[in-house]
Amino acid sequence: MRKAVSGYAGDIAVLFVVYALAYGLMLLNHGIYWDDWVWFDLRPDLIKNSMSQLGYPFLADIHLFLQQGGVFAYRLLTFACYLVAAIALYGTLAQIPSISRTQRLFITIIFAVFPVNGARILIATVHYAIAYVGFFVACFAFVSYINSRRTIYGVIAWLLFFASTYLVNSLLVFYGVLPIYLLYLGINDRATWVRWRAIVINNLGFLVLPLLVFLAKQQWGKPYGLYDGYNTISLKNALLSLPSLDQATHGTLIDPVNAALLAGGSEKWLSTIVIVVTVGICVWIWKSVRKPSADGTGSPSLVSLPVNLLVAVVLLGLAVLPYLVVGKMPAINSWETRHQLLVPLGAAWLFVAIASVARRATRLPVAPVLALLCGLFVASNIRDNVLYIGDAFKQDAFMLNAAQNPDLRAGGGQVFSMRDTTTDMSWSGRCMSFYEYAGMFSRIFHEQSRLPIGSCELYAYDVIRPGFTASYHLADVKPGQPTREVIIERAGYPLSLNNTLRLLKQSYFEPKYFEANVRHIVNVRVVPYTGAP
């Protein structure tokens, strides 16, 4: 196992550099978004109560520990988890002889930087990152166990598989990659009936693991209270998922690639990054294989090229199926990006499989094309992270101006309609929810009597009303219809990508200039509420 990892230290270094370029800005982002406003700054007893209702009481201790280090502790853990998951995948693929080194490198890089799951940056999804790294380290340990039959690897793999699939429901479906791998081993070895029986018996503990996880969740991890019925599988959702496959394909493959193409040409400096990443990867591959004709993707992997494509499709199916059957749709531009969590492996496998087919048909090197894709994906992630930072600065501007607004300062006990005319400044044009504004009001005024209703929620008042509690920073509100309207409108400081980066620099090195500039991103004024627009 050590040889499999240490022998390719250079590949892992390339992986690290590309990944750090794509997601390094995450570590400089102090912002909190969506459900983050629920968990951050919440009383410990309320965090414990909410996590218990969600079915994961132990997560409360993780959040309370991380909150001691502030937002940066969450960002650092998330950054590290997804990086280690990619390294673990590289180590796993290194133990499968039919996958060439170049294939392995491209699968791993694309896996690491494919521009999906933008919600990874959230505090509220940190347990996704923990489960994600646990699952792929478990894959590494499992393949090591299969190859060496050393019990310690089997124990580590089993425990990590159990913990990760218990923590994130979709991983329990994605666990299907394990029997697929056992099937591959049997087919590749031309197994007899006796050999197939031995494969099943030797790995019986892994094959029954999903059943044990399901029973454990039914006994100790069933959501209740506010989260009762959360992620419940229903026949209706399962049937509705069938015609949604086209939409899911757009949300998991087509839209991310389109976004990457747009990002790569959106700014000159992003185009430069695309070129640098592309050339850098090509140079490394050239040096690694010594001749350009070998850079395509190496020998066909996983038995044959058709099977390779089939594996990619199956991986993508396992990635999106658990979300579709509970009525969740993977998407690139909303909170639903969290439903793209498992897409990267199937997407990476698909791109490399297509490259294998293209190289077989044309005899032309395709590594430059795959390297260009990696560069575009890096640029897309950088742009995405800059937009998230801009979203955070917009929130800063709102809080600075709201704190000085006399109507809001005197507005305790009132219900406000929040009309944001600057959603283009928010990440992906999102509309902020009532609990985000509630968290900001709680931070500004140090009390929880103002009830803000986002403009996108005015028609869903009865749906959101159960959230008017202390768990959502609304301990002392008086529910009712809005009487005042808070209008958030554009001010004098345009929030372009370049200006956002300039503000980021000022926030760390020129705080006086930062506060002077950031408050001019938006204006906040309060007027009588005259009804929904």
Side-chain angles (χ1 to χ4, degrees):
M1 180 182 68
R2 292 173 61 186
K3 183 178 179 181
V5 176
S6 62
Y8 300 107
D11 286 357
I12 294 175
V14 171
L15 169 64
F16 173 78
V17 171
V18 175
Y19 175 83
L21 272 173
Y23 292 106
L25 284 173
M26 175 193 300
L27 300 175
L28 303 178
N29 187 346
H30 71 274
I32 55 181
Y33 314 89
W34 281 299
D35 289 20
D36 293 356
W37 282 106
V38 176
W39 302 115
F40 210 71
D41 291 338
L42 198 63
R43 294 200 326 254
D45 61 309
L46 294 176
I47 291 179
K48 291 179 180 179
N49 180 56
S50 295
M51 287 299 178
S52 293
Q53 291 185 47
L54 192 57
Y56 303 116
F58 52 88
L59 282 182
D61 293 324
I62 294 176
H63 276 282
L64 292 173
F65 173 75
L66 289 172
Q67 287 191 11
Q68 296 180 48
V71 173
F72 178 74
Y74 284 93
R75 298 283 192 266
L76 182 61
L77 178 60
T78 299
F79 181 89
C81 283
Y82 285 96
L83 172 61
V84 173
I87 294 172
L89 175 63
Y90 183 93
T92 303
L93 299 179
Q95 299 180 72
I96 303 176
S98 56
I99 300 179
S100 74
R101 180 177 175 182
T102 307
Q103 287 175 317
R104 179 167 59 249
L105 180 61
F106 274 121
I107 288 174
T108 308
I109 292 178
I110 295 173
F111 169 83
V113 301
F114 190 57
V116 293
N117 187 24
R120 74 179 64 195
I121 197 173
L122 270 64
I123 288 170
T125 60
V126 70
H127 62 292
Y128 286 18
I130 295 170
Y132 196 76
V133 68
F135 185 88
F136 284 100
V137 171
C139 289
F140 176 55
F142 176 73
V143 175
S144 300
Y145 167 69
I146 292 293
N147 290 338
S148 69
R149 305 311 299 182
R150 293 182 63 179
T151 304
I152 184 62
Y153 295 150
V155 172
I156 292 172
W158 198 94
L159 291 175
L160 287 176
F161 274 135
F162 186 94
S164 59
T165 54
Y166 184 93
L167 189 56
V168 174
N169 294 335
S170 56
L171 282 172
L172 193 57
V173 176
F174 202 68
Y175 186 77
V177 299
L178 186 139
I180 290 173
Y181 179 67
L182 294 177
L183 182 64
Y184 154 71
L185 291 178
I187 295 174
N188 204 43
D189 293 344
R190 300 182 184 278
T192 63
W193 168 250
V194 174
R195 174 59 179 150
W196 279 115
R197 186 173 61 182
I199 290 175
V200 171
I201 293 174
N202 291 339
N203 298 282
L204 189 60
F206 290 98
L207 294 174
V208 301
L209 183 143
L211 176 61
L212 298 178
V213 173
F214 176 78
L215 294 175
K217 288 184 72 70
Q218 291 299 307
Q219 181 67 33
W220 298 293
K222 208 166 184 179
Y224 66 93
L226 191 60
Y227 299 99
D228 186 33
Y230 182 68
N231 281 343
T232 299
I233 297 175
S234 69
L235 179 60
K236 178 182 177 182
N237 287 331
L239 293 175
L240 289 175
S241 69
L242 295 176
S244 301
L245 292 178
D246 178 64
Q247 186 179 349
T249 301
H250 273 270
T252 56
L253 284 175
I254 298 173
D255 292 343
V257 173
N258 285 340
L261 291 171
L262 292 173
S266 61
E267 299 284 348
K268 288 183 179 179
W269 57 272
L270 281 175
S271 300
T272 302
I273 289 174
V274 172
I275 295 171
V276 169
V277 171
T278 302
V279 172
I281 292 175
C282 286
V283 169
W284 173 253
I285 290 174
W286 183 293
K287 290 180 63 177
S288 299
V289 300
R290 299 299 180 188
K291 55 181 181 177
S293 60
D295 71 348
T297 47
S299 59
S301 65
L302 293 185
V303 184
S304 68
L305 293 175
V307 172
N308 210 3
L309 289 169
L310 178 61
V311 168
V313 172
V314 170
L315 288 173
L316 286 169
L318 291 174
V320 301
L321 179 64
Y323 296 100
L324 295 181
V325 297
V326 295
K328 310 291 187 183
M329 179 58 63
I332 194 174
N333 57 358
S334 65
W335 175 223
E336 278 66 37
T337 60
R338 70 193 191 280
H339 306 322
Q340 300 172 321
L341 173 70
L342 304 176
V343 168
L345 180 57
W349 209 285
L350 181 63
F351 288 126
V352 174
I354 292 173
S356 296
V357 172
R359 183 170 184 269
R360 173 68 65 87
T362 64
R363 298 295 179 183
L364 296 174
V366 294
V369 177
L370 290 173
L372 176 61
L373 274 178
C374 293
L376 289 169
F377 295 158
V378 168
S380 183
N381 283 307
I382 291 174
R383 183 178 183 275
D384 209 47
N385 275 281
V386 174
L387 291 175
Y388 263 121
I389 292 170
D391 190 312
F393 290 157
K394 175 187 165 181
Q395 292 182 53
D396 289 340
F398 169 76
M399 287 187 283
L400 285 169
N401 285 282
Q404 296 180 347
N405 186 283
D407 294 310
L408 283 174
R409 291 175 65 87
Q414 296 189 46
V415 181
F416 296 92
S417 167
M418 310 297 295
R419 179 149 64 94
D420 185 0
T421 65
T422 64
T423 53
D424 59 306
M425 293 185 181
S426 300
W427 181 84
S428 197
R430 71 190 188 92
C431 176
M432 285 193 285
S433 296
F434 74 95
Y435 50 78
E436 294 181 80
Y437 289 116
M440 285 186 262
F441 281 164
S442 177
R443 179 174 290 187
I444 296 168
F445 301 114
H446 307 291
E447 53 90 29
Q448 300 178 8
S449 65
R450 295 163 183 78
L451 175 56
I453 309 295
S455 57
C456 52
E457 299 162 325
L458 286 172
Y459 300 101
Y461 188 88
D462 292 336
V463 176
I464 65 175
R465 182 162 181 159
F468 299 167
T469 65
S471 295
Y472 287 81
H473 300 287
L474 295 170
D476 304 312
V477 300
K478 299 175 181 178
Q481 293 300 312
T483 57
R484 311 295 298 277
E485 184 171 50
V486 178
I487 301 176
I488 305 168
E489 54 194 5
R490 194 180 306 274
Y493 195 91
L495 204 57
S496 64
L497 293 181
N498 291 330
N499 280 348
T500 299
L501 290 175
R502 190 174 295 111
L503 281 174
L504 179 64
K505 175 186 174 183
Q506 292 175 352
S507 69
Y508 281 95
F509 303 108
E510 302 170 301
K512 291 184 179 179
Y513 289 107
F514 171 73
E515 184 169 336
N517 286 324
V518 78
R519 68 168 60 250
H520 294 299
I521 293 174
V522 299
N523 288 325
V524 176
R525 59 191 180 94
V526 180
V527 299
Y529 179 67
T530 57

